[in-house]
Structure formats: structure tokens, C-alpha cells
Amino acid sequence: MSVILMQLFNGISLGSILLLVALGLAITFGQMNIINMAHGEFIMIGAYTTYVLQQVFQQQFPDAFGTYFLLAIPVAFLVAAFIGLLMEKTIVKFLYERPSDSLLATWGVSLILQQTARSIFGAPNVAVAAPEWLNGGLSLAGMTFPYKRLFILGLVLLSVLFLFIYLYRTNSGRRMKAVTMNREMASCLGVSTRKVDSTAFAIGSGLAGIAGCSLTLLGSIGPTLGTAYIVDAFMIVVLGGVGKLKGTILAGVMLGIFSTFVEFSTSATIAKMIVFAVIILFLQWKPTGFAGVRVRALD
Amino acid sequence: MLSVSDLKAGYHETMILQNVHINVPEGKIVGLLGRNGVGKTTLLKVIMGLLPTKQGTVSFKGTKWEKERPEHRAGMGIAYVPQGREIFSDLSVKENLLLGKEALPKSQRSKNIPEEIFKWFPVLKEMIGRKGGDLSGGQQQQLAIARALISNPRLLLLDEPMEGIQPSVVQLIQNVLVKISKEKGISILLVEHKLDVILSCAEEFYILDKGRMVATGRCDEINAEDLHSHLAV
């Protein structure tokens, strides 16, 4: 029983990490139909931002080292959001409704960003030291739940909560949903779709930055950190239903749990194959994903 | 209020509208008639800024428009109710209505829905919390018109608003259109293929055929020959 519970926890943990990566993509891909191949690099930017802050705290404020990670979360969001905004304003905004061009251009940006990171921080991976209070784990019923993973779980819940408050309780969120559903009609009502696009891209990139920040807790980081997660993130967005946030959440958690259980009973490689096969079959059966739109037929 | 002259427009290389002229005076309802596929919707899309003009001009309140985006035109006082309503089906009725306020200056975008909206369309008050997609066709049409009116427009563009809805709702919408035109001085360009609707609420009419304006005049002087040659299928 404890083995199953532990696997369930690992699955939810993996799902929460994938979800954090996919949330930003759900906004940029879901809303703007931009296949942002550089999304993984915003994860990397968030991770290196955390690394830099850690260095600064180690050297300048060693007494306050325990708090650096809490500061790193909003800073990683802001840095990634700012670079995302810059990318949207200078490249992406000229490529809307040109999916293959945008795919190639953002892939080019991803290579540039990776190389830039390599030039600044070097090719080898670097380790980010977690604050002391995140080491160890919570012992419960003979099982140990690592604090780092519990913290990431909490961070994901908080990110989802903030995103929902933004989308469902603010005017800006309402505009974003309207543009996602019907860009042309939203603009006819006076919504500045260009502003909404920039905001959405910045928020999506910022969320990837938070994902990168949290990934520093699980291992060393390098210039290609994001590429390991990007395929799974796209899979979650498609599986959940493009543009459907609730579907993305469900898909993220389900994919995490399913992958963990299959991997536990087989091996990592076979598990990946099985997961891909199941997703392909599922999408054959339900191409719109978990959250396909159901609208009362007109008349 | 709105003046379109010598307009040529279409989709990519295909020209749909040829040398189109139309005037919508302040506070009047102007009907635009024509068979399916003659370019009525294209004309509204050009006026709204959803399609570019290839030649000619679109002027609103004396200002010539060229490449202004739809959101800019909405801010200037044009509201558009497209064919098929295009309400946001996943958003509530209230959220749909609040989106109509986006064309207003920020200071006027309160979270309250003006009571007159519910006076015109009482069913929306009952449905305020429901999702737009859950409404019937007639209710969705009322929502689409209410969403347009909430922005206090000076010109309302309506694309076949009576299409596929029950007679009682058609009557309600007609009454509202006549009322807002008279009481608020809103100009209305009403695209419709049902002649009786145009005759019952519009003062002037235009007939579009194969992308050209082929007849115009006052509705009380409408010519049976024009109707027969350009509208009969």
C-alpha cells in the first residue's frame, strides 16, 4: 500500500512540475497559436536567474541565504517575462498567423538563448544550492515526502490559483479569454488584441521562469535544461485541449501519475513509448482533448 | 454619420465589392438588401476594419479611415453585430456584456450593467450568470445586440440579426432598433435579406447585387421592379 501511495505522490509531483512548464505554454500556444519553440529556454532563464541570485546571496548576504529562494521565484518570473515580452515585441508579433515561420523563428531564438547561456555560464551544468529549510522530508506513516517536492507542489498550486484569479477575476484576464475564444470579435468590441498578446506572452514566459526556478531544487541546471521538458509540455497542452486551462491541469496531473506508474512497472524507455501510444490513441478518439468545447447549437 | 464612396474590396486577389457607395445619416436606420453572396457581409467587415479597402474611402463622422484597426473604430463609436452573433460561449452573459464596454474610455468601464439594457432585453437579466453558449439562438442574438449597445455607439452595424430566430424575438429586436434610433439618435446599418424586416424599421434602403449598389431610395417609395430583378431568387 505504501508503495502505491509513494508512487502516487511521485506521480503528482512529476505532474505538478510538468504542469508548471505547460501552464505558460497553454497561454502562448493556446491563446496565440504560436508554437513557441523557445518556451523551454524561458525555463532555463528562470533557472539561471535563481542560480545568479543564489551566488549573490552566498557572496553578499550569507546571513540571509535561507530567504534567497523565496525572492528568486518572483525575480525568475519577472526576468523571464521581460525577455518574453522583448521577444514578442521584436519577433513574434510579426509572425502571427504564420505558424511555420513562427516555429522556425522561435526555434532560432531558442538556439541563440542556449548559446548565450553557454557563453555566460559555461557549457557544464551548475548546481544550485537549496536553502537549508528545504532539505530533508516529512515522515508520515512510514513514508518520507521530500520538502523540495512538497514545496514545488505548493508553488504549482499557488501559480494555478493566481492564474485563475487573473483570468476569472480581472478585466485583463477577461480580455485575454475573449481574445483566445474569438480574436476578431474581441477586437471589434474594442479590445486591443496586440496589448493582450504582449501581456499573454509575458505571463506565459514568466510562468516558465517559475518552472525553471523550481527545477533548480531537483538537480543541476544547464543551457539545455528546458528542452527535456518541452515535448511533455506540448503533449499536456494538446491532451488538455488547446486553450483550455482546466484541461491542461487535468492532463498535467494525469500524465504525471500515469507516467510514474507505468515507469514503476516497466522501465523509463518503455514507459515513454506506452505513454506516447496511449496519448495518440486518446487523441484519435477525442481530438479536442479533455476539454473540448460544447456549445448549444444555434437554433 | 457614415459615408462609403467608390469602394473596392475583397479577399486577397478576389474583388467582391466594386465601386460601392453608401451613406448612413445620423439617427436613421438604413437597410441593405441583397441575395446571399453579393457582398453585404464583406461591406460591413470593411467598414469595421476587418478587411482592407483596395480603393475608395470609408468616412465616419467626417474622418477618413484607412488602416485603423477594429478596436480603434469601436472606440470611435461603431458597434458590430456579426452574422451568427459570435458571442463568447464560455463566458457568462455578464462577462459578455462587460466586454462590450471595452470600447468606452477607462473611466466609464464600471462593472455595472446599465438598467436600460435589461429594459430592452429583459431575458438577459434572468440569464445574467449563465454561460453564453447555454442560451438559445434568440437569446444569444439579444445578447449580441445588447453587448454592442452597451458601448454607447453612434453607428450600429447589424448583419442579418433576425436570421433563424422566432417571430416574437424578431418583433422585440425590431422594436428595440426603432426605439434606440429615435430616442438615442443611433444610426443603424441593417443588413437583411427579409424585405418585411427592412420595410418595417428602415427609412432608406440600398440593394447590393454582384458587389455593386444597384438601387437606393426611401423605403416608402421602394420599387417593385427593383425588388423583383435584384432580390428574387
Side-chain angles (χ1 to χ4, degrees):
Chain A
M1 186 63 187
S2 65
V3 175
I4 293 174
L5 279 177
M6 207 59 221
Q7 287 307 316
L8 189 66
F9 173 74
N10 287 339
I12 292 171
S13 172
L14 174 67
S16 67
I17 293 162
L18 293 177
L19 175 59
L20 201 49
V21 178
L23 273 182
L25 206 60
I27 293 176
T28 52
F29 184 43
Q31 179 184 307
M32 294 176 281
N33 268 330
I34 286 283
I35 302 174
N36 180 15
M37 295 301 285
H39 188 76
E41 278 52 58
F42 290 102
I43 299 172
M44 178 267 289
I45 288 167
Y48 274 116
T49 304
T50 311
Y51 171 72
V52 170
L53 261 179
Q54 173 230 235
Q55 298 286 85
V56 169
F57 268 73
Q58 259 174 355
Q59 286 160 21
Q60 306 293 326
F61 317 103
D63 296 339
F65 186 74
T67 58
Y68 95 88
F69 201 82
L70 295 177
L71 184 67
I73 298 166
V75 174
F77 176 86
L78 290 174
V79 171
F82 177 72
I83 296 173
L85 187 67
L86 215 61
M87 181 174 149
E88 199 276 336
K89 294 269 183 210
T90 53
I91 299 166
V92 176
K93 88 169 188 186
F94 303 106
L95 301 172
Y96 288 124
E97 288 164 31
R98 289 162 61 189
S100 45
D101 292 349
S102 66
L103 190 145
L104 277 176
T106 53
W107 187 44
V109 171
S110 97
L111 296 178
I112 292 169
L113 289 173
Q114 280 181 26
Q115 197 50 46
T116 308
R118 228 171 255 125
S119 303
I120 299 172
F121 301 101
N125 282 8
V126 292
V128 181
E132 192 56 39
W133 52 271
L134 278 174
N135 292 327
L138 177 71
S139 295
L140 208 71
M143 294 175 286
T144 304
F145 302 96
Y147 287 136
K148 285 175 182 171
R149 287 192 178 264
L150 288 171
F151 181 81
I152 293 173
L153 208 60
L155 185 61
V156 175
L157 287 176
L158 215 59
S159 301
V160 170
L161 183 71
F162 272 115
L163 196 58
F164 267 86
I165 290 172
Y166 173 74
L167 285 174
Y168 291 93
R169 292 281 179 271
T170 67
N171 293 339
S172 178
R174 190 189 315 121
R175 283 193 281 273
M176 196 179 282
K177 284 191 292 177
V179 174
T180 308
M181 289 175 212
N182 189 335
R183 172 175 294 268
E184 211 168 70
M185 194 62 233
S187 72
C188 288
L189 292 172
V191 175
S192 170
T193 53
R194 284 182 178 167
K195 266 191 204 166
V196 170
D197 287 341
S198 301
T199 312
F201 210 86
I203 292 176
S205 306
L207 284 169
I210 294 182
C213 178
S214 67
L215 285 175
T216 61
L217 294 176
L218 300 178
S220 59
I221 60 163
T224 55
L225 172 76
T227 49
Y229 291 91
I230 197 72
V231 175
D232 283 343
F234 268 112
M235 238 161 32
I236 287 169
V237 174
V238 174
L239 193 60
V242 177
K244 302 283 158 191
L245 204 61
K246 286 172 193 163
T248 304
I249 294 166
L250 183 67
V253 176
M254 282 185 71
L255 189 71
I257 294 173
F258 185 62
S259 299
T260 309
F261 273 97
V262 177
E263 202 173 315
F264 180 69
S265 345
T266 58
S267 69
T269 319
I270 293 175
K272 203 83 187 165
M273 283 165 59
I274 293 173
V275 168
F276 270 114
V278 169
I279 289 174
I280 289 167
L281 286 174
F282 178 80
L283 290 175
Q284 292 279 334
W285 172 56
K286 212 173 173 187
T288 49
F290 285 134
V293 193
R294 274 189 298 175
V295 182
R296 179 173 170 163
L298 301 178
D299 309 313
Chain B
M1 178 64 63
L2 174 79
S3 171
V4 174
S5 58
D6 200 23
L7 181 76
K8 279 189 180 180
Y11 301 87
H12 305 293
E13 298 308 309
T14 313
M15 210 60 80
I16 306 289
L17 300 173
Q18 304 278 356
N19 309 97
V20 166
H21 295 260
I22 189 166
N23 279 301
V24 182
E26 193 164 356
K28 301 265 187 217
I29 301 180
V30 173
L32 178 59
L33 290 153
R35 296 187 191 102
N36 284 338
V38 296
K40 304 186 298 293
T41 298
T42 306
L43 177 59
L44 293 197
K45 284 190 170 183
V46 172
I47 296 169
M48 199 60 222
L50 293 170
L51 282 175
T53 51
K54 297 264 165 61
Q55 184 193 297
T57 55
V58 175
S59 303
F60 181 64
K61 291 196 286 191
T63 309
K64 208 179 275 182
W65 278 344
E66 285 174 359
K67 289 184 176 172
E68 283 79 1
R69 292 172 60 80
E71 54 260 37
H72 175 83
R73 296 181 191 215
M76 294 291 290
I78 291 195
Y80 175 45
V81 179
Q83 200 171 17
R85 11 292 186 191
E86 299 201 17
I87 53 134
F88 299 101
S89 53
D90 274 1
L91 299 186
S92 70
V93 168
K94 186 173 184 183
E95 285 179 304
N96 267 281
L97 290 171
L98 287 176
L99 278 164
K101 289 190 169 189
E102 288 294 326
L104 294 170
K106 272 186 184 168
S107 57
Q108 294 174 32
R109 288 186 212 158
S110 70
K111 289 207 166 182
N112 300 324
I113 309 298
E115 267 308 310
E116 62 181 355
I117 293 287
F118 299 129
K119 212 166 73 187
W120 294 328
F121 303 111
V123 72
L124 297 181
K125 195 164 195 171
E126 296 161 29
M127 298 286 189
I128 196 79
R130 299 279 289 274
K131 279 192 176 180
D134 293 340
L135 270 54
S136 71
Q139 290 164 344
Q140 287 187 357
Q141 190 63 69
Q142 293 175 65
L143 174 59
I145 297 172
R147 185 180 62 182
L149 290 176
I150 213 167
S151 65
N152 294 329
R154 299 314 307 149
L155 172 67
L156 181 60
L157 307 175
L158 293 159
D159 197 350
E160 307 216 359
M162 319 300 179
E163 191 186 20
I165 51 179
Q166 63 187 56
S168 62
V169 180
V170 169
Q171 193 55 53
L172 172 85
I173 292 172
Q174 275 179 222
N175 293 344
V176 170
L177 295 182
V178 171
K179 199 170 181 174
I180 57 165
S181 169
K182 284 202 174 125
E183 290 178 6
K184 292 183 152 280
I186 297 174
S187 311
I188 298 174
L189 177 55
L190 174 61
V191 167
E192 190 55 65
H193 66 265
K194 287 179 189 162
L195 183 64
D196 58 322
V197 172
I198 295 288
L199 292 179
S200 65
C201 50
E203 287 151 87
E204 296 174 21
F205 74 94
Y206 285 83
I207 298 179
L208 194 62
D209 196 10
K210 292 176 187 162
R212 293 175 192 275
M213 284 300 180
V214 290
T216 180
R218 291 185 52 78
C219 285
D220 49 13
E221 297 164 358
I222 205 157
N223 183 324
E225 202 175 305
D226 279 343
L227 292 176
H228 185 74
S229 58
H230 301 297
L231 297 178
V233 180

